[in-house]
Amino acid sequence: MRSEMKETTMQRTTLLTLAVFATAIAASWGGDSAGFRPEAIVALERAAIDRWCAGDPQGYLETYAPDVTYFDPSLERRIDGLGAMKELLTPIAGKIKIDRYEMIGPKVQRQGDVAVLTYNLVNYARLPDGTEKVTSRWNVTEMYRRTGGKWKIAHSHFSFTKPGRKQAGPE
């Protein structure tokens, strides 16, 4: 009888230890994973794109962290900081018009207070005859960071999907 009680106590202790260990691992990998919704990150991005398509870069500017970094294929160097992003984007306010876009395959990968959103973006323009034409295709990576309970873009990287490649040849 005493042997059975000792074995049951050891089993309970082992189960309790495993539960505590599993909880610690889950916390280190996801933080408040029960309250995290990947679709919330996608919704933040869509809201910024919707405004961008209407010529309003402020949607992105409001979503950027103060120390945001940004890569774009039209730029020679990385942009550092919200101030520099404002200098880049403010002059083009009202000059962008994208009739429709597709966000293809959005995927959010989270580690604690960092979430990486990747997707393909296809932009369309409506032609006078009512048909649509693809104007650009992008690979997009957005690294969101949670600070003070809010998700902000800490790094943004846009690149062309299947960019034209230079053919190697005699020089």
Side-chain angles (χ1 to χ4, degrees):
M1 179 84 167
R2 202 176 260 236
S3 168
E4 288 174 20
M5 282 179 46
K6 192 175 186 180
E7 189 174 314
T8 302
T9 302
M10 283 180 54
Q11 288 173 341
R12 285 184 187 156
T13 302
T14 301
L15 287 174
L16 181 60
T17 302
L18 287 172
V20 168
F21 183 68
T23 302
I25 289 174
S28 72
W29 276 83
D32 179 22
S33 59
F36 178 74
R37 294 181 10 256
E39 57 273 11
I41 297 292
V42 174
L44 285 170
E45 188 75 9
R46 282 190 187 278
I49 296 172
D50 289 344
R51 289 176 70 178
W52 178 268
C53 290
D56 179 10
Q58 194 63 35
Y60 272 110
L61 292 172
E62 291 171 3
T63 309
Y64 289 141
D67 61 342
V68 65
T69 54
Y70 176 79
F71 277 119
D72 182 296
S74 67
L75 302 172
E76 247 182 74
R77 294 184 178 83
R78 180 188 66 229
I79 301 291
D80 293 327
L82 184 56
M85 288 304 298
K86 286 179 182 177
E87 285 180 30
L88 176 71
L89 298 181
T90 301
I92 62 173
K95 297 179 182 175
I96 298 164
K97 170 106 171 65
I98 299 169
D99 292 308
R100 185 174 74 84
Y101 71 89
E102 286 181 279
M103 179 187 275
I104 302 168
K107 181 174 182 171
V108 177
Q109 298 168 286
R110 178 175 177 229
Q111 178 75 33
D113 286 336
V114 172
V116 177
L117 168 63
T118 54
Y119 61 96
N120 294 102
L121 179 67
V122 181
N123 293 323
Y124 296 88
R126 189 167 295 112
L127 301 176
D129 67 1
T131 61
E132 289 182 327
K133 168 182 137 178
V134 172
T135 57
S136 58
R137 296 176 186 270
W138 300 94
N139 300 311
V140 182
T141 303
E142 302 281 33
M143 193 272 285
Y144 282 79
R145 181 179 60 223
R146 185 173 55 186
T147 306
K150 293 184 178 183
W151 289 99
K152 296 284 189 176
I153 298 173
H155 178 72
S156 182
H157 191 130
F158 281 73
S159 64
F160 293 119
T161 303
K162 294 184 180 180
R165 294 186 175 103
K166 263 189 162 178
Q167 298 295 321
E171 295 187 89

